[in-house]
Amino acid sequence: MTTEDHLTFRQFMLREQDRVGTSSDLILLLEDIATACRVISHKIREGAFVGTLGATDDTNVQGETQKELDVIANDEFMRHCANSPRCAALVSEELDNVVWLKKEAKKGDYFIYFDPLDGSSNLELNISVGSIFSIVELQEDLTDLTDEAVLIAGTEQICAGYSLYGPSTSLVITTGHGVNGFTHQMGSGEFLLTFPDMTVPASTQEYAINASRQNFWDAATKRYVDECLAGKDGPRGKKFNMRWVASMVAEVHRILTRGGVFMYPMDSENASMGGRLRLLYEANPMGMIIEQAGGKASIGGSRILEVAPTDLHQRCGVILGSAEEVDLIDQYYSE
Ligand code: F6P
């Protein structure tokens, strides 16, 4: 197969417009986001030369040290999203409050939630990192532009996606009609459709969890992992493999490619914060992508997308991937 056989991102989106009625405004916004991801990818690859892989003196609202590239990626996302006349508000992992781009938000405007550079502690190690985003469309005009106005459940997302900066740069998106993956072709500068109709196999023999936290795990997590470790002779009757990249985008991409389950449960150490991963710009977009690919996404006993957010930077437990595994873990939670 040659690169001529692959649709460009724009060709694909126009085909989606015919097929499922994707709006021109959403297509233009996604093209701007794709541009932001291309620029971020380039800046990461330049990082070692220009000295941006390391930390700044600042911390973000989560109290985490910001890397120079966290700030650069955030600026790129903001700049490119702001091109869209329909973009009313931006919510970023790196910013304390909502950034309002309009004085009045109208029905049909967009709220965009993003983690501009997820897994950035991996930067100096040259291990994959990524950007994650989610888009919600306003259902009514809004005059009171408060932080509370953007606290909307994941079920309302009209689009979610991520870009993975690995050996190649991928862009994976869903607009609620399946999941499609694109690869950045350096020569043309285009994202080309290389992984159409991505699906998560229902069963798997691979799980991902930070095992160093096992002293803090709840009973359901302990039971699930113990049963995986017991292998062929255990209750699961099969051998399991374990992977942990410490970069959520890379883990989700692996699951979309060959199946598996990713777990960052709420545990006794992170419970006071509500968990580790952020709901609005990590768990919700990844939850939508995984569900659209036929998998499941849970906080441990119930669906991520149904959580009613109460805080901009709220955290939650995240268990997502192959449907059979997530169902089993949910069942252990209910017991
Ligand atoms: O957003 C936080 C993040 O970097 C995720 O990408 C990743 O899954 C997780 O944290 C890694 O956590 P830990 O440092 O516990 O391995």
Side-chain angles (χ1 to χ4, degrees), residues 64 93 115 117-122 132 209-210 212-213 244-251 262 264 276-278 282 315:
E64 297 161 347
E93 186 197 10
D115 180 351
L117 202 52
D118 185 63
S120 57
S121 60
N122 283 323
I132 311 172
I209 193 164
N210 179 345
S212 70
R213 304 187 62 80
W244 188 249
V245 188
S247 186
M248 188 192 197
V249 181
E251 321 271 11
F262 167 87
Y264 214 125
R276 166 78 156 98
L277 301 175
R278 274 53 60 106
E282 292 179 321
R315 299 175 190 249

Side-chain angles (χ1 to χ4, degrees), residues 17-75:
Q17 186 162 51
D18 283 346
R19 191 176 74 91
V20 294
T22 311
S23 75
S24 301
D25 285 335
L26 183 60
I27 294 175
L28 290 173
L29 172 59
L30 286 173
E31 289 204 330
D32 283 327
I33 290 177
T35 303
C37 296
R38 273 196 294 267
V39 175
I40 294 167
S41 167
H42 173 72
K43 298 222 167 180
I44 291 169
R45 288 177 209 291
E46 287 281 289
F49 306 123
V50 297
T52 49
L53 297 180
T56 63
D57 294 332
D58 294 327
T59 50
N60 64 15
V61 64
Q62 342 274 337
E64 297 161 347
T65 305
Q66 278 179 320
K67 294 284 183 77
E68 296 229 15
L69 273 161
D70 283 323
V71 179
I72 292 169
N74 186 59
D75 291 348

Side-chain angles (χ1 to χ4, degrees), residues 296 298 319 322-333:
K296 293 210 170 166
S298 160
I319 293 144
S322 294
E324 283 175 13
E325 300 304 303
V326 179
D327 281 344
L328 184 66
I329 298 164
D330 272 350
Q331 183 196 316
Y332 292 170
Y333 272 96

Side-chain angles (χ1 to χ4, degrees), residues 7-19 22-23 26-27 30-31 159 173 175 182:
L7 294 181
T8 64
F9 187 69
R10 178 173 299 174
Q11 286 169 334
F12 169 81
M13 289 311 304
L14 292 175
R15 197 186 68 179
E16 287 297 276
Q17 186 162 51
D18 283 346
R19 191 176 74 91
T22 311
S23 75
L26 183 60
I27 294 175
L30 286 173
E31 289 204 330
C159 177
I173 58 153
T175 57
F182 303 80

Side-chain angles (χ1 to χ4, degrees), residues 303-328:
R303 203 172 159 219
I304 289 175
L305 300 194
E306 287 174 9
V307 174
T310 53
D311 187 84
L312 223 50
H313 299 285
Q314 179 171 341
R315 299 175 190 249
C316 64
V318 174
I319 293 144
L320 53 77
S322 294
E324 283 175 13
E325 300 304 303
V326 179
D327 281 344
L328 184 66

